[in-house]
Amino acid sequence: MAILVNAASNVLIQGITGKQGSFHFKQMRAFGTNVVAGVAPGKGGNLFEGVPLYETVQEACEHHRIDATVLFIPAAFCKDAALEAIEAGIKVIVIITEHIPVQDELIIVNRAKLKEAVIIGPNTFGMASWKCKLGILPNVAFSPGPVGVVARSGTLTYEIVGSLTNVGIGQTSVVGLGGDRVPGSSFVDMLKRFEVDPDTKCVVLVGEIGGNAEEEAAEFIKTMSKPVVAYLAGKSAPPGKRMGHAGAIIERGKGTYEGKVKALTAAGAQVATFPYEVVEKVQTLLGRP
């Protein structure tokens, strides 16, 4: 089991013939992802590495059952591409692109809510369930197992997931929320899914300073039956200075590292000070040496 997608999911790639799209398409397929179609305006009717190309998302959906799509589209065109996927009825939409205008992100996220579609991103590494990857995550880090992972930080996630894999602890699903100010999904959205997934026995939350997403997650964690291990990036970040992601900034004293640790700890989550401690805490919770 997994959340959002699994090995049986049919996947579309928008922008499949571009530099980034074509590279990561091959990586996704090597991971086991069932890529059934691509959208590349001006190239419809052709094949790309054996995958049929279409002019529009709607056309692709008329020929295939599409469960999820991943966008490798330049920021200026991403709003239109995402809205096209939403209107075509696709329920899981992963937006890798960064530097999308905030107003465009607001339009995408609000329309997705109306159509009950799940947006992962923008500015995300994507997500992966075993044999179904949508995005740019390195294939070698992941393995199947009982841990669900939800994160705002890409590189830290790769490190933590790779470390879990190295000690024989795999993952049900790994989800990157993205680091922009207007994420399509929240920690709470994914925690709810992991809570009801029967194969997820423990959840790892990788957060960072800025905003209140971790504090909101803490309120939900109080209601969860499954243990949560958290790690937060940005312990030494100075107030008012953006650290990497657009959303990772402490403003007016809110979104501090200390405040988030306090909220998560009070909710019952085990908070790791260093990434390697996440593995130790998960091993203890799962009863694995």
Side-chain angles (χ1 to χ4, degrees):
M1 289 289 289
I3 67 169
L4 294 174
V5 295
N6 55 46
S9 298
N10 285 353
V11 174
L12 173 74
I13 298 179
Q14 294 172 250
I16 190 172
T17 60
K19 182 178 179 180
Q20 295 297 322
S22 60
F23 174 80
H24 288 291
F25 155 59
K26 295 172 185 175
Q27 295 299 307
M28 288 167 56
R29 190 160 64 177
F31 189 79
T33 307
N34 185 30
V35 180
V36 298
V39 171
K43 300 177 183 177
N46 295 309
L47 293 175
F48 180 73
E49 299 282 342
V51 172
L53 300 179
Y54 297 94
E55 292 291 320
T56 66
V57 175
Q58 184 61 47
E59 187 181 359
C61 290
E62 290 171 358
H63 290 83
H64 307 272
R65 187 198 83 228
I66 304 293
D67 301 305
T69 182
V70 54
L71 276 63
F72 292 99
I73 302 291
F77 310 108
C78 215
K79 182 190 71 175
D80 289 344
L83 292 178
E84 188 182 358
I86 294 168
E87 297 306 323
I90 299 175
K91 295 304 182 185
V92 178
I93 300 166
V94 177
I95 304 175
I96 305 299
T97 311
E98 61 179 342
H99 302 311
I100 298 174
V102 172
Q103 186 171 357
D104 287 1
E105 292 180 338
L106 288 167
I107 292 171
I108 293 169
V109 171
N110 287 329
R111 188 61 184 168
K113 287 179 179 177
L114 287 174
K115 302 291 281 189
E116 299 183 340
V118 175
I119 299 289
I120 303 298
N123 189 15
T124 174
F125 60 78
M127 69 160 297
S129 299
W130 187 240
K131 296 297 182 184
C132 187
K133 184 183 82 167
L134 299 92
I136 62 175
L137 309 78
N139 292 357
V140 296
F142 301 90
S143 60
V147 179
V149 180
V150 58
R152 290 170 69 186
S153 170
T155 307
L156 279 168
T157 301
Y158 308 159
E159 178 180 350
I160 290 170
V161 170
S163 297
L164 288 169
T165 293
N166 288 340
V167 298
I169 299 177
Q171 306 83 40
T172 49
S173 296
V174 179
V175 181
L177 301 176
D180 279 1
R181 285 181 175 265
V182 189
S185 296
S186 68
F187 280 125
V188 175
D189 293 332
M190 296 304 123
L191 290 173
K192 287 179 178 178
R193 292 178 182 273
F194 282 129
E195 173 69 1
V196 298
D197 175 39
D199 289 334
T200 298
K201 306 304 180 187
C202 174
V203 180
V204 172
L205 183 154
V206 184
E208 59 188 14
I209 60 169
N212 63 349
E214 289 77 8
E215 288 85 344
E216 291 178 347
E219 289 301 309
F220 182 75
I221 289 170
K222 292 177 181 176
T223 71
M224 290 181 67
S225 64
K226 298 177 181 178
V228 175
V229 176
Y231 173 77
L232 301 170
K235 181 178 181 180
S236 302
K241 182 176 178 58
R242 195 187 82 177
M243 302 299 289
H245 295 145
I249 183 170
I250 299 171
E251 296 174 305
R252 295 188 292 275
K254 296 182 178 179
T256 64
Y257 175 86
E258 292 77 11
K260 291 175 185 294
V261 170
K262 182 178 180 181
L264 288 165
T265 302
Q270 296 194 25
V271 181
T273 304
F274 300 101
Y276 71 85
E277 292 180 356
V278 173
V279 177
E280 296 174 351
K281 291 180 182 299
V282 171
Q283 285 178 303
T284 300
L285 288 168
L286 295 179
R288 298 191 183 186

